[in-house]
Amino acid sequence: LGAEVAVTFVPHLLPIRRGILSTAYVRPRPGADLDAFGKAFEDRYANERFIVLTGSRPPEIRDVAGTNDCAIGWAFDAKSRTVVVVSVIDNLGKGAAGQAIQNMNAMMGWSESTGLDHLAVVP
C-alpha cells in the first residue's frame, strides 16, 4: 500500500454448525468516504467469481451457506472515521478444501468454479 496501515481483524465465535463471520476495522485515508471505499471494493472484485459484495447491507452466513462464496459488506462510521468491513464464508465450502480445489483449478488452467458450484449442505 505504500504506507503504514492499521487493521483490527475480529473473527467471531458463534454457536452454529457452519460458517465464519469476521469483522475488520480500517481507518481510511483522509478525505475518503463510503462511496470511495465501495468503489475500491467494486473495482477490485468486479471479476471475481466467488466474491459477493453486499455494500452497506451486512452479509449474513445464510447468504453463503452451501457455496464457495465470500460475501463482503461495509459501513462507514463518520464519527470515528472507521470503515467496518464484515465478511462471511461457509467454512465447510470456502474453507481449506474449497480453497485447495480453487487453487488447483487455477494452476491447471481450468475454470475456477470447476467442482465448486454444487457443494454439500449437510450438516
Side-chain angles (χ1 to χ4, degrees):
L1 295 173
E4 186 174 320
V5 177
V7 175
T8 302
F9 172 77
V10 183
H12 302 277
L13 179 60
L14 304 168
I16 55 177
R17 291 179 185 239
R18 61 191 311 149
I20 297 174
L21 184 144
S22 299
T23 307
Y25 303 88
V26 183
R27 296 270 170 107
R29 288 185 281 230
D33 60 9
L34 186 59
D35 291 336
F37 207 82
K39 182 168 177 5
F41 266 112
E42 290 164 4
D43 289 348
R44 171 58 185 92
Y45 295 114
N47 298 315
E48 295 295 333
R49 161 66 180 80
F50 295 112
I51 301 294
V52 177
L53 300 178
T54 63
S56 62
R57 181 184 69 81
E60 300 177 30
I61 292 172
R62 66 179 160 195
D63 294 338
V64 297
T67 75
N68 190 58
D69 293 345
C70 174
I72 304 170
W74 55 89
F76 182 66
D77 178 16
K79 185 175 181 180
S80 67
R81 293 225 17 94
T82 302
V83 176
V84 181
V85 180
V86 178
S87 67
V88 293
I89 64 168
D90 179 336
N91 60 312
L92 299 182
K94 186 67 173 172
Q99 191 62 49
I101 292 170
Q102 189 175 345
N103 289 339
M104 178 186 68
N105 290 343
M107 289 172 57
M108 299 301 291
W110 302 335
S111 169
E112 229 180 317
S113 62
T114 299
L116 295 172
D117 281 328
H118 305 288
L119 300 177
V121 290
V122 177

